[in-house]
Amino acid sequence: MFEVYGEPFASRFLLGTAQYPSPQILADAVRASGAEILTVSLRRETAGSGTGGRFWDLIRELNVKVLPNTAGCHSVKEAVTTARMARDLFRTDWIKLEVIGHHDSLQPDVFGLVEAASILSDDGFKVFPYTTDDIVVGERLLEAGCQVLMPWCAPIGSAKGPVNTDALRAYRSHFSGVPLVVDAGLGRPSHAAAVLELGFDAVLLNTAVAKAGHPVAMAKAFAMAIEAGRLACEAQPLEPRDMAVPSTPVLGMAVFE
Amino acid sequence: MKLTINGEPQEVASATLAALLDELAYDHEFLATARNGDLVCAEERGDCVLEAGDRIEILSPMQGG
C-alpha cells in the first residue's frame, strides 16, 4: 500500500493525462494502468468552447483522485496563483508543484520551488514538489512542509530512465520513511521497475505511455513492471558482487582423474 | 471599458467578473479566474468589480503531466 498525505492507494502508478491520441485512448489507458491518481492542469479557456468542461467530465467518470499541476510556471508568483486557481476549480488541496528554471532542460528552479512550497504549505496545500535528486533541496522541501518528494530521474519527456542510479540510491537511503515518487524521465517499464527496486514508493509519468505506439498496452506494461519492481524491493534483491560465485554447490563433486 | 482577457485586449461592458463571464458566454462551472495576478474564487466573482486596464485570466481544466 502506498500512502501519501495520510491517504492509502493500492496503485503505485501516478499517470499524466496529456498527449494521448484521443480521449477514449486516455480513458482506456487509465483503466489499464490501474492508476488511482491522475495529473491534470489548467489553461486559458476560449469563450464558448466548452473544451475544459468536456475534459473534466471524462476525468470525473474515471473516479480517480486528481493531482493538479503548475506545469509551465517559471516564477513563484505564477506557481502560487496557479495552485490557488487549481484548488478553486478542482476542489482539492493537492498540488503538483513545478517551478521551471530553464526553458530547454525544464529543470526545476529549486530556489523558487522551496519558496513556493513554503507559501503553499502555509496556505493549507498538500504539496507534491517536482524536484531534482539533490538531497539538500529535499531537506529544505520537507522543512517547507512537504510530506512527499518527487525527484526526477532524467529530464521531463526525455525517456532516458534513471541516469544517476547512485544519486537515487543515496536519496532513498537519506529520506528513509518519506514517500518518494520518481517524477519525470522514465521511458520504459524496465526503468520504472528499476526505481521501484531501489525502494522508491511510486512513479509519475505521462509521455512514456501517451506517446507509445500503443498507449493502452504500454499502460498495462508499466503497471506490471511497477508491481514487479515493488515486489522485488520487498524481496530484498541480491547485491552485485565483483567476483564470480558458483550457484551450483561444489561440495560432493565427482573426481574423474 | 478595455480589459486584457487571457492576454488579448478586449472592450467589454460588464461591471463585475461574474457579469463578464456571462457577457463572453463562458460556462461558469468549469472555470478558475484571476484578476491582476491573484485568484478570484468562484463565489467572489459577483463582488469582483472590474476596472479599466484589469488583466483577467480565465482558465479551465486541461490535460497535464
Side-chain angles (χ1 to χ4, degrees):
Chain A
M1 195 66 79
F2 166 54
E3 191 169 315
V4 63
Y5 285 108
E7 292 191 48
F9 296 92
S11 170
R12 295 171 180 273
F13 192 177
L14 288 70
L15 186 59
T17 56
Q19 307 183 79
Y20 291 82
S22 72
Q24 186 60 51
I25 291 175
L26 162 61
D28 290 346
V30 169
R31 292 190 184 97
S33 73
E36 297 165 287
I37 301 171
L38 299 184
T39 52
V40 294
S41 196
L42 285 174
R43 284 295 181 271
R44 286 171 169 171
E45 173 84 347
T46 304
S49 71
T51 310
R54 283 194 295 279
F55 170 66
W56 189 219
D57 282 342
L58 183 143
I59 296 299
R60 284 194 291 197
E61 282 174 14
L62 292 168
N63 196 27
V64 293
K65 184 105 179 167
V66 295
L67 175 58
N69 69 26
T70 63
C73 292
H74 285 255
S75 72
V76 172
K77 171 69 175 168
E78 277 182 329
V80 167
T81 299
T82 301
R84 288 175 175 153
M85 294 178 82
R87 180 167 63 180
D88 191 52
L89 178 53
F90 294 112
R91 302 290 164 182
T92 175
D93 52 11
W94 280 24
I95 192 74
K96 178 189 167 185
L97 181 61
E98 297 183 30
V99 183
I100 301 299
H102 196 275
H103 284 283
D104 292 332
S105 68
L106 301 180
Q107 178 160 350
D109 168 1
V110 294
F111 306 98
L113 180 69
V114 171
E115 185 182 343
S118 180
I119 293 168
L120 292 170
S121 294
D122 288 347
D123 195 18
F125 280 90
K126 295 181 172 71
V127 178
F128 293 65
Y130 158 63
T131 184
T132 66
D133 55 20
D134 188 300
I135 287 173
V136 178
V137 173
E139 290 199 334
R140 297 288 181 274
L141 288 166
L142 295 181
E143 288 165 15
C146 299
Q147 294 179 22
V148 58
L149 298 171
M150 302 209 300
W152 66 357
C153 74
I156 291 176
S158 69
K160 284 178 177 292
V163 293
N164 191 346
T165 306
D166 288 343
L168 290 177
R169 188 178 282 112
Y171 204 85
R172 174 68 282 179
S173 175
H174 186 83
F175 292 110
S176 175
V178 177
L180 298 181
V181 180
V182 169
D183 175 17
L186 296 163
R188 292 162 186 260
S190 55
H191 299 155
V195 298
L196 267 290
E197 283 175 14
L198 288 174
F200 283 81
D201 296 281
V203 297
L204 196 169
L205 59 93
N206 189 155
T207 312
V209 167
K211 303 300 275 185
H214 299 281
V216 179
M218 190 58 80
K220 179 72 177 170
F222 266 102
M224 295 168 78
I226 290 163
E227 195 173 336
R230 177 63 190 181
L231 192 58
C233 174
E234 291 172 353
Q236 301 168 20
L238 189 66
E239 288 304 318
R241 292 176 281 194
D242 290 331
M243 299 297 292
V245 179
S247 50
T248 303
V250 291
L251 191 67
M253 287 270 302
V255 177
F256 299 110
E257 293 180 9
Chain B
M1 124 178 93
K2 195 174 231 177
L3 306 180
T4 302
I5 301 168
N6 284 351
E8 299 291 331
Q10 203 163 339
E11 191 71 32
V12 298
S14 303
T16 67
L17 184 52
L20 176 71
L21 296 179
D22 286 334
E23 180 183 341
L24 299 177
Y26 276 100
D27 183 344
H28 292 234
E29 190 186 352
F30 302 111
L31 299 178
T33 49
R35 174 174 175 253
N36 297 330
D38 291 317
L39 165 72
V40 179
C41 294
E43 53 270 23
E44 293 171 353
R45 288 177 197 146
D47 297 325
C48 178
V49 177
L50 302 174
E51 293 177 18
D54 278 350
R55 291 173 292 110
I56 304 298
E57 291 289 337
I58 304 168
L59 308 186
S60 70
M62 166 83 183
Q63 296 86 342

